[in-house]
Amino acid sequence: MTAQTVISELTRKAGLFLRADVVLVAITVAITITVLVKMVQSLRQMNEHKRVLKDFGGPQAHWFFGHVNLFYGGDEGFDQQAAASTKYNYAFKFWIGAFTCAVTVSHPDSVKVLLATSEPKADFIYDTLRPWLGDGLLLSNGKKWARNRRLLTPGFHFDILKPYVNVFSESTKIMLDKWASIDHSKSIEIQNSVSQMTLDTLLRCAFSYKSNCQTANEDPYVKSVYRLAELILLRFFFPPYLIDSIFNISYHGYQFKKACDFVHNEARQVIADRRRALSFGQTKENENKRTSRYLDFLDILLSTKLRMNGNGLTDAEIRDEVDTFMFEGHDTTSSGISWILYNLARHPEYQDKCREEINELMEGKEEKLFEWDDLSKIPYTTMCIKESLRLHPPVPFIARKLTKSMTLPDGRTVPAGQHKAAPLLFVHILIPLIYHLAAVNILLATTMVISGLTQRFTIRKDSPLKT
């Protein structure tokens, strides 16, 4: 190899290294600029929140976590949020991290104003669910929401729901059999068992799929659903994860995408198999995991195309609705049931009345299973259930993004573009305090008026009217 050849080869390699360095520097600069632009935007957003919401107070916020670390801590967190609601006239600023803020209202009159509007859902909360749930009923708005709600309405007809009661009874019996083997001399944590039971029920009612998730926790679909719910909650405990670009490149973001892909692929496969079976007029297959005793939610979704002359839900929309009902259905129901059992345990006198009512209903039945017609025969138990749902709503809060300014009953205004949240749990906790204070104020005012009238019209001892 000549000297000139060697020099040419070294020059070529140096050029490659130089170009690689240039590319690396360019990427670094691009990332740095992107981060700086995002920081500037976030700072502007933070300052805008502070400027337009200056009339609303709030507890001291952490510079990084905001109020997340203050209000999310079990009983202590609940107590602090309830205290903040009363201290700041039932409307205060709630910071999620350093840059995102929502006005939290807990007075019934203020919540009524919010519920009376058709404002869109708060994107910073609901968008975290979109990669998993798509554009289903929970996340859609406007015409699409109205169309899909209309198409799904037949799925909640009494004739469709009646056979599900047997599914509810079967799933509940499995849970009760597990509890029968537990040491009853100490307190137990029931949320996990109830959640497994409701997920098992939803899988049967949505897919006619028997997962055995209550007795064996190895079903990959069930594990993925639980993992997705955990990771979504994690994003709110660690505010930087609310920024998609940060979450997506994190380890937890990788886990979230992996679980999403698995759940979506499973749903797509089930939908395709069922559509193929229905198109050929076949009966439901794979009887070891499925049963044909009732029309399940997937059958109803697939039938929308027939009812709408081919203009029903697409496979992607069906998958979104199935995923939405799997998440919303099992999570909120397990929360509601757990609170009901907790409240009955705290008030044994009411628990005894409910037990007595149900025992009378079951007396004489060969199979101790609850049936559809029995629902109307337990009025006292129904009242206890409804009262528990009022005190501890399964959906503890709602949030909306205002498209126009909203004035609260006390005269303060939340400008357009801001987020407004209503912690429904605290609304009901604070109602007795609110109306007790109102009653006290009325009583004091009445007493003052009567006192004034008494002083004004007191008959003097020397009055000729005195007898």
Side-chain angles (χ1 to χ4, degrees):
M1 182 179 293
T2 65
Q4 185 177 0
T5 304
V6 172
I7 292 172
S8 298
E9 183 66 18
L10 290 174
T11 304
R12 186 184 66 83
K13 290 183 177 180
L16 290 175
F17 287 133
L18 179 61
R19 285 194 293 271
D21 289 342
V22 170
V23 171
L24 181 60
V25 170
I27 292 175
T28 303
V29 170
I31 293 175
T32 303
I33 292 175
T34 302
V35 171
L36 288 174
V37 169
K38 186 66 179 177
M39 286 295 296
V40 170
Q41 292 174 342
S42 298
L43 288 171
R44 285 181 176 177
Q45 176 180 303
M46 178 183 68
N47 291 329
E48 179 67 8
H49 285 317
K50 290 181 177 179
R51 184 182 67 81
V52 300
L53 299 177
K54 62 182 182 300
D55 292 335
F56 296 90
Q60 181 65 38
H62 188 273
W63 70 271
F64 182 76
F65 289 102
H67 291 121
V68 171
N69 65 327
L70 179 65
F71 289 151
Y72 291 107
D75 292 341
E76 183 180 351
F78 284 127
D79 292 342
Q80 289 180 351
Q81 190 162 348
S85 294
T86 54
K87 181 177 180 180
Y88 297 101
N89 199 21
Y90 309 107
F92 63 92
K93 286 182 291 191
F94 184 95
W95 287 93
I96 302 95
F99 307 118
T100 304
C101 183
V103 174
T104 301
V105 295
S106 54
H107 193 288
D109 293 338
S110 299
V111 175
K112 187 188 302 182
V113 174
L114 180 62
L115 294 178
T117 70
S118 56
E119 296 287 37
K121 302 176 179 73
D123 48 10
F124 79 94
I125 293 178
Y126 293 93
D127 281 357
T128 61
L129 298 166
R130 199 170 297 281
W132 174 18
L133 306 184
D135 209 20
L137 277 182
L138 175 63
L139 303 180
S140 58
N141 287 297
K143 293 182 179 179
K144 182 170 185 179
W145 180 91
R147 166 186 172 264
N148 289 5
R149 184 68 185 87
R150 185 176 67 256
L151 290 174
L152 295 178
T153 298
F156 300 94
H157 190 277
F158 286 159
D159 291 336
I160 298 294
L161 296 177
K162 283 180 181 180
Y164 289 173
V165 175
N166 294 330
V167 180
F168 302 158
S169 296
E170 292 172 5
S171 297
T172 304
K173 188 176 185 305
I174 295 173
M175 182 183 70
L176 295 178
D177 289 342
K178 286 169 55 180
W179 286 357
S181 60
I182 296 176
D183 182 5
H184 294 170
S185 63
K186 26 178 145 171
S187 300
I188 61 171
E189 197 284 316
I190 64 172
Q191 171 69 26
N192 188 52
S193 294
V194 174
S195 179
Q196 290 175 346
M197 182 271 292
T198 57
L199 184 58
D200 182 27
T201 302
L202 260 293
L203 284 168
R204 297 188 191 202
C205 295
F207 290 145
S208 296
Y209 181 87
K210 290 187 177 180
S211 68
N212 297 319
C213 65
Q214 295 196 72
T215 54
N217 296 323
E218 299 304 319
D219 189 287
Y221 183 87
V222 173
K223 290 175 67 175
S224 297
V225 169
Y226 276 126
R227 187 55 179 156
L228 287 169
E230 291 171 358
L231 291 171
I232 287 172
L233 188 61
L234 175 65
R235 296 187 69 174
F236 292 96
F237 280 99
F238 188 64
Y241 274 178
L242 291 175
I243 302 173
D244 291 338
S245 56
I246 294 178
F247 180 71
N248 291 339
I249 63 175
S250 69
Y251 173 69
H252 291 114
Y254 166 76
Q255 286 189 315
F256 184 80
K257 185 179 185 305
K258 183 179 178 181
C260 264
D261 290 342
F262 179 82
V263 169
H264 290 165
N265 289 334
E266 287 290 301
R268 272 191 291 265
Q269 186 61 48
V270 171
I271 292 168
D273 291 344
R274 184 72 63 85
R275 190 183 290 282
R276 193 180 307 113
L278 292 175
S279 65
F280 285 99
Q282 297 173 0
T283 57
K284 298 177 182 178
E285 301 173 351
N286 197 9
E287 288 298 328
N288 63 320
K289 283 192 174 183
R290 304 176 60 224
T291 174
S292 58
R293 289 178 295 169
Y294 53 85
L295 192 67
D296 63 29
F297 187 59
L298 184 55
D299 290 327
I300 295 162
L301 294 175
L302 288 168
S303 69
T304 59
K305 186 162 284 191
L306 297 175
R307 289 188 282 109
M308 299 297 292
N309 298 321
N311 295 321
L313 300 172
T314 65
D315 282 2
E317 289 175 323
I318 291 173
R319 189 203 72 192
D320 290 346
E321 298 301 347
V322 168
D323 288 339
T324 296
F325 274 80
M326 286 302 303
F327 168 64
E328 280 197 294
H330 100 268
D331 189 68
T332 55
T333 308
S334 65
S335 173
I337 293 173
S338 298
W339 278 115
I340 290 166
L341 296 178
Y342 169 79
N343 286 322
L344 287 175
R346 289 194 63 194
H347 301 279
E349 66 277 18
Y350 299 124
Q351 181 183 164
D352 291 341
K353 290 183 180 180
C354 291
R355 181 183 292 108
E356 181 181 349
E357 183 179 61
I358 293 172
N359 284 340
E360 289 180 2
L361 180 65
M362 293 295 167
E363 190 174 351
K365 285 192 176 186
E366 293 184 6
E367 294 187 14
K368 303 297 184 181
L369 292 177
F370 205 79
E371 299 175 353
W372 176 267
D373 293 335
D374 295 331
L375 289 172
S376 60
K377 301 175 183 177
I378 50 170
Y380 189 84
T381 304
T382 300
M383 286 191 293
C384 290
I385 292 172
K386 290 181 176 180
E387 178 64 5
S388 179
L389 293 174
R390 183 187 73 82
L391 291 172
H392 300 99
V395 178
F397 73 94
I398 58 173
R400 298 290 183 265
K401 185 172 184 178
L402 303 185
T403 59
K404 53 186 177 182
S405 61
M406 182 178 294
T407 301
L408 302 181
D410 63 5
R412 288 180 291 176
T413 298
V414 184
Q418 298 299 308
H419 293 101
K420 188 176 177 183
L424 303 180
L425 173 64
F426 295 103
V427 173
H428 293 285
I429 290 176
L430 294 171
I431 278 178
L433 174 63
I434 292 170
Y435 290 107
H436 171 72
L437 291 176
V440 169
N441 290 336
I442 292 173
L443 180 60
L444 289 174
T446 304
T447 303
M448 292 174 65
V449 170
I450 294 176
S451 176
L453 290 174
T454 302
Q455 293 177 9
R456 182 175 179 182
F457 293 104
T458 297
I459 301 175
R460 301 194 309 272
K461 290 183 181 180
D462 59 347
S463 171
L465 297 178
K466 184 174 178 64
T467 59

